[in-house]
Amino acid sequence: MFYLTFFFLVLRLSFIFCSLVGPRCFLRLKDLSTWGEDKETDCFFSVYTKHGHMKNEYLTRNQNKQLTYKNMHLIMSLYFALENINKDPHILPNISLLVKVECNLLDDWKMSSLSTKIGELLPNYYCINQRRYLITLTGPIWLSSAMFGPLLYITNRPELYYGPFHPLLSSREQFPHLYQMAPKDTSLALAMVSLIVYFKWNWLGVIISDDDLGLQFLSDLRRDMQKNSACLAFVHIIMEDKILFQKNMNVYYNEITTSSAKVVIIYGDKDSHLQLNLGLYRLSNIQKIWLTTSQWDMIHHNDRFLLDSFYGTFTFLLHFVELPGFGTFIETVDPSKYSNSISLGRLWWLYFNCSLTSFNSMNLKNCSIEKRYRWLLRHQLEISVSGTGYVLYNTVYAVAHALHEMLLQEVDTLPRYSEKKLEFDSWQMVHFLKNIQFINPVGDLLNMNQKEKQDVVYDIHYSFEFVHNFALKVKIGTFSKHLLHGQQLYMSEEMIKWNIDLNQIPLSICSAPCSPGFRKSPQEGKAVCCFDCIPCPENEISNMSDMDQCVKCPDDHYANPEGNHCLKKVVTFLGYEDLLGMSLACLALCFSILTAFVLGVFLKHKNTPTVKANNRALSYVLLISLIFCFLCSLLFIGQPNMATCFMQQTIFAVVFTVAASTILAKTITVVLAFKVTTPGRRMRWLLVSGAPNFIIPVCTVIQLILCGIWLGTSPPFVDVDIHVEKEHILIVCNKGSIFAFYCVLGYLGSIAMGSFTVAFLARNLPDTFNEAKYLTFSMLVFCSVWLTFLPVYHCTKGKAMVAVEVFCILASSAGLLLCIFAPKCFIICLRPEGNSFQKFKNMHFKIENAH
């Protein structure tokens, strides 16, 4: 027991001796776990003033504790701002802003009892000769500000919170004395969704902490994603309850590993189970594209980057501007510049492995800039200002400008000066601070009135680990909500091109995009981002990818086979340039010429029995009408106009009525001549007077009356048919009144059926020159053609419909011509001996002798 007591006594004396002789006896305390995890601890900076130019103390507390990288970075930002202010003759001339640094207060409070230690941390009193602080800057952890804020208020110290904005601290009822410097994080969800839309992602996962901030962020994210047609593949809410966390951990792990979502958004407190959850994913080497906030920027876990991925990490940071000279300040900072140089000298000796020039000297040697560079690279300490550091930098300048404004306007309440102390009314200074507006040294306009603050601006950084434990972080864009829609997100194409290989960044989508010509069809029971692609209906297109609905082409356009463009329809009609139109026109002309030739033959042999039999005049009328029948088909060929539309149906109806009525007259003449064996005077008079010939004008006049009624009530007109053919606009003659058209056609058909009936009855009448059989057969052909015409005409469309009508005109006319006149022409031209009365008499004499 004596030896143990002696050992502790010697150890106690050694610490006292070390504190007297200086940093040569500093212990090399290397808490690697603290340095390796990038843990951010609370740091309180109590600002006070002194007259003249004074040196700042570096650290007055916690000298036996190591600081994290980020805390050290914040302290550097603070002292950089203070040095610039104290050197500036235009701000607080002849007055120095000094600071007392206190870190790890929350840990001290957790490690001790509140009843015995809280008074040592923040006493609720001060002595007359004790220093009074102007204001305390708290952060970056909101919990420490919430815990110690009321105690600061008791000690008559206002509080400025420089950490990320937290809604809880903005409650005027709970924290009337606290002012938050960081702007509200109201547009973070929209900023992330804008980046998602930029990279054409729509299938994402979300990991948040189970608190009010996380749930509010999730609500905002859902709203903005829905507006931009993006969906959530999964949502992991990390509970703080250990039992629930362990229960859901395997479920979350299986879901994130099996999900097709390649992009995951992380939002929450890093000092929670969320960090443990991400550490598990890091060990499992899950390759995702991470989208996160400044809290998770370049975080280490087990000597590796926590959010490490082959695809990199996108981080949204509060907008900050690089501070000119800050990097040089970190590289060249010297402990001799500060009054409490032993504290800073200890840090330099501890972190940079510097040595002393002599036993009692505070000058450091073997501490070159190159050596510090290597240390900075080894520990990933950025030599540029961070987002929180920039807020702290602006906070210090806000205090300086508010105090300077108060001194200018409140001349009657100047403070008491002494050689050692220079004290001001803190709450009076805060009144000026809340309404001040100034431009900081880098040119940013800062408005301390929270009601007039603009929406936050975010800087988007992309970082990736290019070698083990070394990462490259570059700024690739910014987001500002208060700009016009479409201009809110700005991405630097050059930075993206040189720092991000877009071919390596996968698409995070549920379904492959629908190419032009297809539209999306939602999958039943799944999110709207999951869909099938189906072709557009006929005459509809989609000229962009991922269209929800196809667009119908205008009436004068049609969709191409791929369904991605509307092509203009070509105006068409049955013209002479078409092969079909040219063929029909040639047929019409050929048959017209042939009919004219037959008429010439009949005129030349007009006195022969074959021509004179069955009324020569009716044969001439029939041939002339057939010529017009053939020629009227030409009215249906060529571009329609008002004249041709009027003449098409009327001329067709009239000339065919003449032809049909002529055949009817011929058949009636045959019947009257051969059926009446003992004709009376009246019947003889009918035959001699040529009464059957009056059938032609009577029938024609009736048809003319029908056509007149048609033209007077609803005449044909030029029409455009855009639907009958997909690729063409067809110009046709609309018949006007379909009823009138079928009345005219029906009347013509009744004459034809009457002629066929009479001819059929007279088909077996005797006589050498009897043409009743030919008439019967010709009318059979005529009626068959037009009966076939009706169904075929209604089944065809476009130019084919016109061609069918022309073909029926030619076929029926050719049937009449060939069936009636072909046998007679054969006898007249090739068998002239049969075309004589002598031949007829010889045949008649042979028949009588036979009897």
Side-chain angles (χ1 to χ4, degrees):
M1 186 66 180
F2 171 76
Y3 292 106
L4 184 60
T5 304
F6 178 76
F7 171 76
F8 279 107
L9 180 61
V10 173
L11 185 61
R12 177 70 176 175
L13 290 174
S14 65
F15 276 111
I16 296 174
F17 179 73
C18 287
S19 64
L20 293 176
V21 299
R24 178 176 284 261
C25 294
F26 288 158
L27 297 177
R28 284 190 184 276
L29 300 177
K30 294 285 187 178
D31 187 2
L32 295 178
S33 61
T34 301
W35 282 88
E37 293 184 357
D38 255 356
K39 183 179 180 182
E40 195 169 48
T41 61
D42 59 286
C43 278
F44 283 23
F45 306 120
S46 300
V47 180
Y48 60 97
T49 57
K50 279 190 177 182
H51 183 69
H53 183 68
M54 306 294 292
K55 292 182 179 181
N56 266 298
E57 296 179 4
Y58 189 76
L59 287 176
T60 58
R61 297 182 58 88
N62 306 6
Q63 295 180 15
N64 61 332
K65 297 182 179 179
Q66 285 187 335
L67 301 175
T68 64
Y69 306 134
K70 295 195 173 182
N71 288 135
M72 192 171 179
H73 205 274
L74 286 176
I75 294 172
M76 295 291 185
S77 303
L78 172 73
Y79 275 86
F80 179 68
L82 289 173
E83 284 201 3
N84 290 340
I85 292 173
N86 293 337
K87 292 177 181 179
D88 192 345
H90 301 97
I91 303 177
L92 301 176
N94 206 28
I95 297 176
S96 294
L97 285 183
L98 306 176
V99 68
K100 175 186 177 183
V101 180
E102 298 175 293
C103 295
N104 297 317
L105 293 180
L106 193 59
D107 288 342
D108 288 346
W109 178 78
K110 291 179 181 179
M111 295 283 294
S112 60
S113 170
L114 180 62
S115 60
T116 58
K117 292 295 183 180
I118 194 64
E120 296 182 10
L121 294 174
L122 294 171
N124 62 351
Y125 63 89
Y126 71 95
C127 299
I128 295 177
N129 295 324
Q130 186 178 350
R131 176 187 299 154
R132 294 186 62 180
Y133 295 101
L134 180 66
I135 196 168
T136 299
L137 314 181
T138 65
I141 300 175
W142 71 271
L143 183 59
S144 61
S145 300
M147 292 290 296
F148 296 110
L151 297 176
L152 290 172
Y153 183 70
I154 293 174
T155 60
N156 205 30
R157 276 192 258 177
E159 181 182 2
L160 282 180
Y161 174 68
Y162 61 86
F165 185 89
H166 198 286
L168 180 63
L169 300 180
S170 62
S171 173
R172 294 295 92 190
E173 293 77 13
Q174 299 184 30
F175 305 98
H177 57 282
L178 187 145
Y179 185 91
Q180 298 195 71
M181 290 296 299
K184 291 183 180 180
D185 232 1
T186 55
S187 56
L188 177 61
L190 180 59
M192 289 187 172
V193 172
S194 299
L195 183 70
I196 289 167
V197 173
Y198 178 83
F199 283 112
K200 299 179 181 179
W201 299 327
N202 64 9
W203 192 237
L204 317 167
V206 175
I207 304 175
I208 62 171
S209 54
D210 185 22
D211 53 31
D212 293 339
L213 282 178
L215 297 177
Q216 180 61 44
F217 171 77
L218 179 61
S219 176
D220 296 341
L221 186 68
R222 288 184 187 274
R223 180 195 63 222
D224 294 328
M225 290 180 67
Q226 186 176 7
K227 292 179 181 178
N228 292 275
S229 300
C231 308
L232 293 177
F234 59 86
V235 176
H236 295 172
I237 301 177
I238 307 302
M239 307 289 184
E240 286 303 306
D241 184 87
K242 291 184 178 180
I243 298 178
L244 292 176
F245 172 72
Q246 293 175 356
K247 180 180 179 181
N248 295 329
M249 187 169 58
N250 290 333
V251 177
Y252 289 163
Y253 176 79
N254 293 331
E255 192 168 16
I256 195 173
T257 53
T258 57
S259 175
S260 59
K262 298 296 189 299
V263 179
V264 178
I265 297 175
I266 300 172
Y267 183 88
D269 189 359
K270 69 178 181 180
D271 295 321
S272 64
H273 287 158
L274 181 56
Q275 184 170 357
L276 297 177
N277 196 69
L278 295 176
L280 172 64
Y281 298 160
R282 178 66 183 86
L283 293 174
S284 302
N285 197 29
I286 294 178
Q287 297 297 321
K288 300 290 183 181
I289 303 172
W290 307 106
L291 268 66
T292 185
T293 59
S294 58
Q295 292 194 59
W296 301 93
D297 184 30
M298 310 291 284
I299 299 297
H300 273 64
H301 181 78
N302 293 333
D303 201 29
R304 298 176 67 185
F305 287 107
L306 180 63
L307 298 180
D308 176 36
S309 172
F310 174 76
Y311 305 113
T313 302
F314 293 90
T315 309
F316 288 78
L317 307 175
L318 290 175
H319 172 70
F320 62 89
V321 181
E322 294 295 338
L323 302 179
F326 181 68
T328 305
F329 173 79
I330 292 181
E331 299 163 6
T332 60
V333 64
D334 192 341
S336 63
K337 294 182 179 180
Y338 302 95
S339 59
N340 191 6
S341 58
I342 188 172
S343 174
L344 190 58
R346 177 183 178 277
L347 288 176
W348 255 233
W349 179 83
L350 182 64
Y351 296 138
F352 297 136
N353 294 323
C354 301
S355 58
L356 301 176
T357 56
S358 63
F359 182 78
N360 290 320
S361 174
M362 289 308 303
N363 296 324
L364 302 176
K365 66 178 183 179
N366 192 25
C367 200
S368 63
I369 294 178
E370 290 78 9
K371 191 171 185 179
R372 294 185 215 178
Y373 265 131
R374 287 195 298 271
W375 183 87
L376 293 173
L377 287 174
R378 186 168 66 253
H379 294 291
Q380 294 82 35
L381 180 64
E382 297 178 87
I383 61 174
S384 62
V385 70
S386 64
T388 306
Y390 185 66
V391 176
L392 179 59
Y393 176 85
N394 288 329
T395 304
V396 177
Y397 265 91
V399 172
H401 279 277
L403 184 58
H404 185 80
E405 188 71 20
M406 186 183 74
L407 291 177
L408 292 178
Q409 297 188 18
E410 304 292 335
V411 180
D412 298 334
T413 58
L414 289 176
R416 295 176 287 109
Y417 287 86
S418 67
E419 294 183 358
K420 295 184 178 180
K421 293 193 296 182
L422 183 63
E423 298 177 353
F424 298 94
D425 187 345
S426 298
W427 300 106
Q428 191 176 7
M429 187 272 297
V430 170
H431 173 73
F432 285 91
L433 184 140
K434 290 183 177 181
N435 297 284
I436 199 170
Q437 181 174 312
F438 65 95
I439 297 177
N440 68 0
V442 294
D444 278 355
L445 176 64
L446 298 177
N447 188 353
M448 303 304 293
N449 190 334
Q450 288 186 339
K451 295 182 180 179
E452 298 179 1
K453 279 188 175 181
Q454 291 182 328
D455 290 307
V456 62
V457 177
Y458 294 99
D459 290 335
I460 304 173
H461 290 253
Y462 176 74
S463 57
F464 63 96
E465 188 175 7
F466 60 95
V467 294
H468 178 66
N469 217 24
F470 284 89
L472 176 65
K473 183 172 74 173
V474 291
K475 178 181 175 180
I476 62 171
T478 58
F479 177 86
S480 180
K481 184 181 179 181
H482 68 269
L483 295 178
L484 295 176
H485 182 71
Q487 302 177 3
Q488 296 173 331
L489 179 69
Y490 169 75
M491 300 294 287
S492 175
E493 297 292 342
E494 292 185 359
M495 298 305 294
I496 294 176
K497 179 180 179 181
W498 288 105
N499 296 282
I500 304 178
D501 187 357
L502 295 179
N503 294 325
Q504 292 184 354
I505 296 182
L507 286 176
S508 186
I509 54 178
C510 180
S511 299
C514 292
S515 59
F518 293 82
R519 68 173 181 89
K520 296 191 292 186
S521 177
Q523 295 180 0
E524 187 177 356
K526 294 186 178 181
V528 295
C529 300
C530 303
F531 49 82
D532 297 319
C533 297
I534 60 175
C536 288
E538 186 178 357
N539 210 37
E540 293 186 11
I541 66 163
S542 60
N543 54 4
M544 294 185 297
S545 299
D546 278 346
M547 290 189 65
D548 294 322
Q549 296 294 333
C550 297
V551 179
K552 188 175 181 62
C553 289
D555 290 340
D556 58 344
H557 289 71
Y558 68 97
N560 64 341
E562 293 76 20
N564 55 8
H565 288 292
C566 287
L567 305 178
K568 192 171 182 62
K569 291 184 176 181
V570 179
V571 176
T572 186
F573 48 85
L574 184 62
Y576 295 103
E577 299 82 5
D578 296 336
L579 179 62
L580 181 60
M582 185 183 299
S583 302
L584 293 175
C586 291
L587 283 176
L589 293 175
C590 291
F591 278 114
S592 299
I593 295 172
L594 179 61
T595 308
F597 173 77
V598 172
L599 178 61
V601 170
F602 269 56
L603 289 174
K604 183 179 180 181
H605 301 86
K606 58 183 179 179
N607 295 318
T608 60
T610 303
V611 176
K612 293 176 67 175
N614 304 110
N615 202 326
R616 180 173 50 189
L618 291 179
S619 298
Y620 295 158
V621 172
L622 180 59
L623 287 172
I624 293 173
S625 65
L626 288 177
I627 293 175
F628 283 103
C629 286
F630 288 121
L631 292 178
C632 79
S633 63
L634 299 178
L635 295 173
F636 294 84
I637 304 173
Q639 184 172 356
N641 52 57
M642 288 299 298
T644 56
C645 288
F646 269 74
M647 291 189 294
Q648 276 182 4
Q649 304 300 333
T650 53
I651 293 179
F652 157 73
V654 170
V655 297
F656 265 83
T657 300
V658 172
S661 59
T662 301
I663 295 174
L664 178 61
K666 290 173 72 66
T667 53
I668 290 177
T669 301
V670 172
V671 171
L672 290 177
F674 293 98
K675 279 292 183 182
V676 181
T677 56
T678 57
R681 183 177 300 176
R682 180 177 300 178
M683 189 63 65
R684 183 182 296 274
W685 176 82
L686 288 174
L687 289 174
V688 173
S689 63
N693 296 341
F694 289 99
I695 295 175
I696 300 173
V698 172
C699 293
T700 305
V701 169
I702 295 175
Q703 186 70 283
L704 286 173
I705 293 174
L706 292 176
C707 291
I709 296 174
W710 181 10
L711 296 178
T713 55
S714 180
F717 58 91
V718 180
D719 195 11
V720 175
D721 195 337
I722 59 177
H723 303 293
V724 66
E725 292 186 13
K726 177 182 177 182
E727 302 179 6
H728 298 92
I729 298 177
L730 184 64
I731 301 179
V732 295
C733 285
N734 192 305
K735 294 178 175 56
S737 175
I738 299 297
F739 176 76
F741 170 72
Y742 282 111
C743 286
V744 169
L745 203 62
Y747 176 71
L748 178 61
S750 64
I751 296 176
M753 289 300 297
S755 301
F756 172 74
T757 302
V758 176
F760 181 78
L761 294 176
R763 69 188 185 281
N764 294 322
L765 293 178
D767 190 51
T768 303
F769 302 102
N770 183 14
E771 59 178 357
K773 294 181 180 180
Y774 306 136
L775 294 175
T776 303
F777 189 69
S778 66
M779 295 310 300
L780 178 63
V781 173
F782 184 89
C783 293
S784 300
V785 169
W786 286 106
L787 288 175
T788 308
F789 162 79
L790 293 176
V792 175
Y793 183 78
H794 286 285
C795 293
T796 54
K797 295 180 180 180
K799 293 188 293 184
M801 180 182 290
V802 181
V804 166
E805 189 169 0
V806 173
F807 179 79
C808 287
I809 292 173
L810 296 179
S812 58
S813 302
L816 295 179
L817 176 66
L818 297 177
C819 293
I820 297 176
F821 295 100
K824 295 181 179 181
C825 290
F826 176 78
I827 295 174
I828 294 173
C829 297
L830 301 179
R831 296 289 179 89
E833 66 278 5
N835 188 21
S836 64
F837 286 105
Q838 185 62 38
K839 178 67 176 178
F840 170 74
K841 292 178 180 179
N842 294 334
M843 291 180 60
H844 186 70
F845 177 75
K846 290 180 180 179
I847 294 172
E848 289 181 349
N849 291 334
H851 289 288

